[in-house]
Amino acid sequence: MPAYKLMYFEGKGRAEVIRLSFAAAGQSFEDKRYSIEEWYKVKPTIPQHQLPCLQVDGRFIPQSGAIMRYIAREFGLHGDNNDENTRVDVILGASDDFLKNVMSWYYEKDETKKEEINKNLEETKLPQFFSLLESILKENDDGDGYFVGKKISLADILIYDITDQTSSVAKLPAFPPKLAGLIDRVKNYSKIKEYLAKREKLTQ
Amino acid sequence: MPAYKLMYFDTKGRAEVIRLAFVVAGQSFEDKRFPMEEWQTVKPTIPQKQLPCLQVDGRLIPQSGAIMRYVAREFGLYGDNNDENTRVDVIIGTAEDFLKSAIAIHYEKDETKKAELKKDLEENKLPQFFSLLEDILKENNDGDGFFVGKKISLADILIYDITDQVGATAKLPAFPPKLGGLIERVKNYPKIKEYLAKRGK
């Protein structure tokens, strides 16, 4: 078994979906979290000088999109054929599109503009995103299972993580029915449930 | 063989890398280009109401990142194992980070800001991006071949396409040596050379 070391800051951000994937895979890894001062020392040694970065037996993999797919492929969380791989990628792409709105809220310095973006997020972007996810979900087993194939994948994990993180910056609309079922399914997936219970304790 | 129909506008944009991938694969496809009026009528029928969208035997695949990987996997342009697949993904991710700057210029309405962004692109972002690509390239065969493994992949095609499209609206810095070699190698790849001759600019 290779030795995995995931490097990021303290916090969920772009690393949490990777941590959740390791958890779902039942794969141990070193969960390295840099303080800002530590990061400034380490930064020159990291490819592209950005986090997250995954170290696998000494090799570095930068870029969160590359890392999450690497882990997903390694542990059977990326679908079992090109059609399923692509379905995961479609959901990753749709999520990236949605997250641009959260990012623009995050980076907006003008308070009035920031509030407008937040309002737009709550009233328009979030409902549209959830509605889209509901349609995509229903394409597979009428939405009564997972996003892709017959088992949990990176797509399910990512969508759960996005709803979790976004809920701390905006009020989420009610989940459409199938999406609500999917979110519960992920939260109750045994290895994820275990991980979430530990994570809860850390923040208390 | 499935029937492929790539739908986009009449321009390079986010579709050109996919067209180039089909070309390299020697795979015919319907290259559907919607004029604006036609797009408005078709839009409600397209998943996520965005282009590009790829139709494969009646199934619709949206999201350019998903389409390019689907075609790449189908035709051996995505590396041959997880490490190589990941190397392609790293390059795609790096390219996306860079493109945010190029795209921001396109959407900036304030002329002064636009000029500032373009200056930053030409003086900082482009040289940094090229320098990074040079380092990544040199990790494989000291940069004397392709980005990944021993054959052309989506990574090479994408980087060529980005330099071509950005080079049309901004002054590119000189290519570092290995990257210069890679760009030539892609332009002269027989199926691509043929396609570029027909396409012109």
Side-chain angles (χ1 to χ4, degrees), chain A residues 27-199:
Chain A
Q27 173 62 51
S28 63
F29 68 104
E30 186 188 339
D31 186 12
K32 180 69 189 167
R33 297 166 183 248
Y34 291 115
S35 62
I36 294 294
E37 310 81 48
E38 242 185 312
W39 168 235
Y40 281 119
K41 296 201 197 103
V42 168
K43 191 171 175 175
T45 68
I46 302 290
Q48 306 193 17
H49 312 310
Q50 287 178 315
L51 298 178
C53 187
L54 180 70
Q55 194 173 9
V56 187
D57 278 348
R59 268 164 34 244
F60 287 111
I61 303 172
Q63 290 292 340
S64 62
I67 299 169
M68 67 174 85
R69 284 178 175 90
Y70 174 80
I71 295 298
R73 276 187 293 256
E74 207 63 13
F75 298 107
L77 299 168
H78 200 245
D80 294 336
N81 52 55
N82 197 1
D83 286 348
E84 291 192 353
N85 302 158
T86 299
R87 209 169 141 73
V88 177
D89 284 341
V90 167
I91 290 157
L92 260 51
S95 300
D96 279 345
D97 282 354
F98 167 73
L99 282 172
K100 283 183 184 130
N101 303 297
V102 180
M103 288 292 113
S104 70
W105 171 85
Y106 186 75
Y107 286 111
E108 181 56 60
K109 305 210 184 301
D110 180 293
E111 280 305 322
T112 313
K113 283 199 185 136
K114 205 172 167 93
E115 265 178 54
E116 272 169 37
I117 297 176
N118 193 280
K119 188 167 188 276
N120 185 245
L121 201 59
E122 291 182 351
E123 295 180 4
T124 308
K125 298 294 188 211
L126 270 162
Q128 281 172 358
F129 184 49
F130 283 7
S131 172
L132 174 58
L133 292 175
E134 186 77 352
S135 317
I136 295 175
L137 190 49
K138 290 203 283 205
E139 290 167 354
N140 189 37
D141 217 3
D142 201 36
D144 294 326
Y146 294 103
F147 268 110
V148 181
K150 297 193 182 310
K151 53 185 180 165
I152 200 169
S153 77
L154 176 61
D156 309 290
I157 296 169
L158 179 67
I159 295 309
Y160 161 73
D161 183 50
I162 288 174
T163 59
D164 176 53
Q165 292 203 50
T166 305
S167 70
S168 62
V169 309
K171 185 165 160 30
L172 300 186
F175 290 124
K178 306 286 185 172
L179 185 60
L182 183 278
I183 296 295
D184 270 349
R185 208 164 290 127
V186 175
K187 281 159 89 167
N188 288 299
Y189 189 85
S190 55
K191 295 196 181 98
I192 292 183
K193 190 171 181 172
E194 219 178 283
Y195 172 82
L196 292 179
K198 284 187 212 155
R199 189 177 78 179

Side-chain angles (χ1 to χ4, degrees), chain B residues 120-189:
Chain B
D120 185 52
L121 186 71
E122 293 179 348
E123 294 181 8
N124 298 313
K125 303 279 195 261
L126 271 162
Q128 283 166 3
F129 183 48
F130 283 6
S131 173
L132 177 52
L133 292 175
E134 185 77 353
D135 289 342
I136 294 175
L137 190 49
K138 289 202 285 203
E139 290 168 353
N140 189 37
N141 213 33
D142 201 35
D144 294 325
F146 294 104
F147 267 109
V148 180
K150 296 191 183 311
K151 51 185 179 158
I152 200 168
S153 76
L154 177 62
D156 308 290
I157 295 167
L158 179 66
I159 296 308
Y160 161 73
D161 182 51
I162 288 174
T163 59
D164 175 56
Q165 293 203 49
V166 175
T169 56
K171 184 160 164 29
L172 299 184
F175 289 126
K178 305 286 184 169
L179 183 60
L182 184 277
I183 297 294
E184 284 306 300
R185 210 164 289 127
V186 175
K187 281 160 89 168
N188 287 300
Y189 193 86

Side-chain angles (χ1 to χ4, degrees), chain B residues 88-111:
Chain B
V88 177
D89 284 338
V90 168
I91 291 157
I92 294 174
T94 305
E96 278 168 7
D97 281 354
F98 166 75
L99 283 171
K100 281 182 186 135
S101 317
I103 290 170
I105 298 174
H106 182 76
Y107 285 107
E108 180 55 61
K109 305 212 184 304
D110 181 294
E111 283 304 324

Side-chain angles (χ1 to χ4, degrees), chain B:
Chain B
M1 262 287 123
Y4 298 100
K5 177 174 164 181
L6 176 63
M7 294 173 276
Y8 195 61
F9 306 104
D10 188 12
T11 185
K12 292 177 186 175
R14 290 185 181 284
E16 196 64 14
V17 63
I18 302 162
R19 294 178 185 126
L20 285 161
F22 274 120
V23 160
V24 169
Q27 173 60 52
S28 62
F29 68 103
E30 186 187 339
D31 186 12
K32 179 69 187 169
R33 296 164 182 252
F34 291 117
M36 269 307 157
E37 315 81 48
E38 214 188 329
W39 168 234
Q40 296 306 332
T41 45
V42 168
K43 192 171 175 176
T45 69
I46 300 293
Q48 306 190 19
K49 312 205 190 11
Q50 289 178 315
L51 298 177
C53 187
L54 180 69
Q55 192 172 9
V56 187
D57 278 349
R59 269 165 33 244
L60 294 167
I61 304 172
Q63 291 290 340
S64 62
I67 299 168
M68 70 173 81
R69 285 178 174 89
Y70 173 80
V71 175
R73 274 188 291 258
E74 206 65 15
F75 298 108
L77 299 169
Y78 196 57
D80 294 336
N81 52 55
N82 197 1
D83 285 350
E84 290 191 355
N85 303 156
T86 299
R87 208 167 144 74
V88 177
D89 284 338
V90 168
I91 291 157
I92 294 174
T94 305
E96 278 168 7
D97 281 354
F98 166 75
L99 283 171
K100 281 182 186 135
S101 317
I103 290 170
I105 298 174
H106 182 76
Y107 285 107
E108 180 55 61
K109 305 212 184 304
D110 181 294
E111 283 304 324
T112 314
K113 280 199 189 142
K114 204 174 168 99
E116 273 169 32
L117 287 173
K118 188 169 171 199
K119 188 166 187 276
D120 185 52
L121 186 71
E122 293 179 348
E123 294 181 8
N124 298 313
K125 303 279 195 261
L126 271 162
Q128 283 166 3
F129 183 48
F130 283 6
S131 173
L132 177 52
L133 292 175
E134 185 77 353
D135 289 342
I136 294 175
L137 190 49
K138 289 202 285 203
E139 290 168 353
N140 189 37
N141 213 33
D142 201 35
D144 294 325
F146 294 104
F147 267 109
V148 180
K150 296 191 183 311
K151 51 185 179 158
I152 200 168
S153 76
L154 177 62
D156 308 290
I157 295 167
L158 179 66
I159 296 308
Y160 161 73
D161 182 51
I162 288 174
T163 59
D164 175 56
Q165 293 203 49
V166 175
T169 56
K171 184 160 164 29
L172 299 184
F175 289 126
K178 305 286 184 169
L179 183 60
L182 184 277
I183 297 294
E184 284 306 300
R185 210 164 289 127
V186 175
K187 281 160 89 168
N188 287 300
Y189 193 86
K191 295 194 180 102
I192 293 185
K193 191 169 182 174
E194 215 181 290
Y195 173 79
L196 293 180
K198 286 184 213 155
R199 184 187 80 180
K201 284 190 181 232

